[in-house]
């Protein structure tokens, strides 16, 4: 059974940083592309970043230069480093399991999420 458990969300001031983690079980992380997606209050789900098996990473324009996706395949864990946080980054953040060569983030299985709130 695929399980994804996110953690690391918190209340942080604008300009602050957080590191989100996603512990995966039931599959081998290194065999799949992985996504981070988020959903702000009253808004739809939006894609944040993708980590491909070959080490390639991609980012939504609104987080480029501020967020960094990484993975530790030995720990079967995905990460998202969030720097220079803005109030508009406030959202529930989810990790999601892709397909071996990418896949669709919008309907990828995801965890329960971790809440990031950016406020002064």
């Amino acid at each position: 059974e695929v399980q994804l458990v996110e953690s690391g969300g918190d209340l942080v001031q604008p300009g602050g940083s957080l590191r989100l983690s996603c512990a995966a079980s039931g599959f081998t992380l290194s065999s799949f592309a992985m996504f981070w997606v988020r959903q702000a209050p009253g808004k739809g789900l939006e894609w944040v970043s993708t980590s491909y098996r070959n080490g390639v990473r991609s980012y939504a324009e609104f987080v480029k230069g501020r967020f960094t996706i990484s993975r530790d395949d030995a720990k079967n864990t995905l990460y998202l480093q969030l720097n220079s946080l803005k109030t508009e980054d406030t959202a529930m953040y989810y990790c999601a399991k892709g397909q071996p060569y990418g896949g669709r983030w919008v309907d990828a299985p995801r965890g329960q999420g971790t809440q990031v709130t950016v406020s002064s």
Side-chain angles (χ1 to χ4, degrees):
E1 179 189 2
V2 171
Q3 283 199 323
L4 299 165
V5 180
E6 301 93 335
S7 62
D10 205 346
L11 170 64
V12 63
Q13 292 187 341
S17 297
L18 284 173
R19 188 194 197 200
L20 307 183
S21 299
C22 170
S25 60
F27 69 101
T28 302
L29 193 77
S30 60
S31 297
F32 295 88
M34 294 293 295
F35 309 109
W36 282 102
V37 298
R38 71 184 188 185
Q39 187 165 24
K43 296 189 176 180
L45 197 66
E46 64 180 353
W47 170 73
V48 174
S49 183
T50 302
S51 169
Y52 295 92
R53 299 192 307 166
N54 62 1
V56 172
R57 309 169 188 179
S58 59
Y59 299 93
E61 199 62 38
F62 54 81
V63 303
K64 271 185 182 177
R66 300 190 299 123
F67 293 5
T68 303
I69 192 171
S70 63
R71 58 167 76 196
D72 185 333
D73 289 335
K75 294 183 178 179
N76 230 41
T77 301
L78 181 74
Y79 302 99
L80 187 69
Q81 177 69 39
L82 290 66
N83 295 330
S84 303
L85 282 160
K86 306 176 181 180
T87 55
E88 53 263 44
D89 294 318
T90 295
M92 185 73 78
Y93 284 72
Y94 303 90
C95 67
K97 174 182 173 287
Q99 299 298 319
Y101 297 100
R104 285 163 44 92
W105 61 267
V106 67
D107 50 14
R110 56 185 186 263
Q112 85 291 344
T114 187
Q115 178 67 40
V116 173
T117 302
V118 185
S119 176
S120 55

